[in-house]
Structure formats: structure tokens, C-alpha cells
Amino acid sequence: MHIAPYDNQNKPIVDVDDTTVPLNYFNIVKLDAGQAFEYQVPGYETCIVPATGTINVDVEGFQANDLGGRGEDVWDGEPEGVYVPSGGKATLVAKDATEVFIAGAKYDETLEPFAVRSNELDLVQYGSDDTKTHRKIKHILGQKQHDKVGRLLVSELFTVGAGGWSGFPSHKHDTDRLPLETRHDETYNFRFRPNHGSGLQMLQREDGKPGDAYHIVDGSTVCIDKGYHPCAVLPGYEMYYFTILGGLSQRPLVQYFQPSHADQLH
């Protein structure tokens, strides 16, 4: 499902028990310097990630100051985050004009809050320049935090170079059938550089049958509940997407790659 950009007025774009991706939660909060925002999401663990600007965060006494620090867009610096336990009360105070992503996954147990600073990220690269699939991934809640988080995975993906594909070879993760696959609902928020760029999100629900495609623009949100889901950016533009994954029965993601393109796995 594609959700076009709109002024959400700091209210969830993907709320609890969403009909498409019930395992996910997503909000975008925009604050001016000195403004505060408080939230609590019972039944969902969350992660606070400034897209731009700098914030101070308090999670029921745990404090993380000067979080973020990126400038005019998501390319201008490294991400940082704060993990908020399920149902925890978090307060954000903006030190300057700030846009903040709040990612969540359904989880009932209560863990401990912690911060992830830029030097603690999991950094990986996939794909190749030859196939126009080269991309960098910055895991904020990745494998390094495997023993601190319940079901939530949070990362940022950047295409390398102008134009190209991501999420290929195509894969899905909509059914719990270990060891082949896990069910993880997924939500994206896209950005483009320059920001008048755009791209395409494919969603093929069955191998060998036609699927759907969405025209994605700067600020688009896409919810992936089922099917193979590669995406592409127009030539001449760079693409970024904030990624939220919430697992049904476990946190580790097991992807099932589309049989039609299995010969391109390497």
C-alpha cells in the first residue's frame, strides 16, 4: 500500500493494529527549536531516529542528549537512535528545527532503553555497480542489538550512484515457515536527492503473475504485507528509504528469494 506524503500533524502514519501491517508502527514528528513531543505506544517497542536536526530524549529517566545532528537532509550526516521499550513513555525536545522518525514493532515484553550512536551502527553494502543494484545499508537496530530488542529492526538504505534498483534479487518475508522464511511486516519512507526525483515500488504477490506498482515521491510511505517488493529510482537521482521491520515470532529476518530470479543470487 502506498501512502502519499501529507501533513500528518505529528500523528501516526501507520498506527497500532494497522490493517495492512499490524506488526508495524510509524510516525513522523516535526518540531521547531524548543518544542517538545511526548508519546507512549502500549504493546509496541519503538525507536526514535532524527531524520534532520538534533534532539534530547528522555525515556522514563534514561536520557540521550544531542541525538542526531544531521543537517538539511538524510544524506547530511549519520543516523542515531534511541530504543524505547514497549509502552515506555518518551519525551523529545528539539534543539533546532527537527524531523524525527518513530519506528515500532509489536512486542509485549518490557526491555531496557538504550541509545545507538553513529559509531555503533552496522554498516553493510549489497549489489553491484554493473547491475545498478549497489546500495549501502546503515542498521540502527541491527545484529549488534540482537540481545536488547524484541522484534524490531530499523535501518536506512541509500542507493549508490544515480539511478538503479534496490531489493533485488526480489524476495519476500510474509509467511512463518522456518527454515525457509519468516513473517516480517515492513514499512518504508522514501526520500530522493534532488528531492523532485521519484521512483517505483513494485509488489508482486505471486511468482509468475503480474503485480502492482506505485509511483513513489519524496516523503512517500509504503507498507509491505505480502509479496516480492523490489524498487527503483529514476536515472539521475539518488534514493533513500527508512526501513521498519517487525517480526511475528522472532526478530531475525529470513528472506525467501523469488524463484524466477534465483539464478542472479550470488
Side-chain angles (χ1 to χ4, degrees), residues 23-76:
L23 303 179
N24 290 170
Y25 174 90
F26 178 52
N27 195 3
I28 296 177
V29 174
K30 296 180 180 179
L31 302 172
D32 292 325
Q35 288 186 320
F37 178 81
E38 183 179 282
Y39 79 91
Q40 194 170 16
V41 190
Y44 286 74
E45 57 185 352
T46 58
C47 183
I48 299 166
V49 179
T52 57
T54 304
I55 60 174
N56 293 335
V57 178
D58 182 280
V59 184
E60 300 184 2
F62 170 84
Q63 295 185 338
N65 294 325
D66 299 321
L67 189 79
R70 287 192 280 202
E72 64 179 17
D73 60 30
V74 293
W75 283 268
D76 190 11

Side-chain angles (χ1 to χ4, degrees), residues 75-143:
W75 283 268
D76 190 11
E78 299 295 337
E80 295 188 326
V82 167
Y83 172 80
V84 180
S86 179
K89 182 181 291 185
T91 303
L92 295 58
V93 179
K95 299 189 68 174
D96 49 20
T98 305
E99 181 181 19
V100 181
F101 297 140
I102 301 176
K106 184 174 284 191
Y107 189 63
D108 291 329
E109 296 182 32
T110 301
L111 305 176
E112 294 297 321
F114 62 90
V116 179
R117 297 296 184 172
S118 58
N119 62 351
E120 299 173 302
L121 302 169
D122 279 331
L123 305 176
V124 296
Q125 296 199 41
Y126 291 110
S128 71
D129 294 326
D130 290 342
T131 59
K132 299 295 288 183
T133 59
H134 190 185
R135 63 265 196 199
K136 296 185 297 184
I137 301 177
K138 301 177 181 183
H139 293 291
I140 302 158
L141 293 184
Q143 291 184 1

